[in-house]
Amino acid sequence: MEKSLTVPEINVDKQNFVLLDRNRRIFSDTLFSQGDEIFIQHQGEQYRLRRTRNGKLILTK
């Protein structure tokens, strides 16, 4: 059984948000530390990012 991780949405003032490091990386091992799928909120829509047994990533709406 796959575990899922839902990260709470954070309200950010996007006009005042500055990305300090444009080369920032998020390692998939960090994202999937508690299971093989996560849910991403983007522009009011929910997406599911899943890691397969073969190590591929699948993003679905």
Side-chain angles (χ1 to χ4, degrees):
M1 175 181 256
E2 295 179 0
K3 293 181 183 178
S4 65
L5 173 66
T6 303
V7 179
E9 187 173 342
I10 298 172
N11 291 324
V12 176
D13 182 356
K14 294 178 184 175
Q15 292 179 349
N16 293 323
F17 183 76
V18 176
L19 184 60
L20 299 176
D21 182 1
R22 293 193 181 270
N23 297 316
R24 188 176 109 174
R25 293 183 182 162
I26 298 173
F27 293 92
S28 62
D29 289 342
T30 303
L31 288 174
F32 297 110
S33 64
Q34 297 186 12
D36 288 329
E37 68 178 12
I38 61 170
F39 294 94
I40 302 168
Q41 286 294 128
H42 177 68
Q43 297 182 348
E45 301 287 340
Q46 181 170 289
Y47 294 81
R48 176 182 171 210
L49 182 62
R50 183 171 62 93
R51 178 175 54 183
T52 69
R53 281 182 256 152
N54 294 328
K56 306 286 184 184
L57 297 178
I58 299 173
L59 179 66
T60 55
K61 188 171 180 182

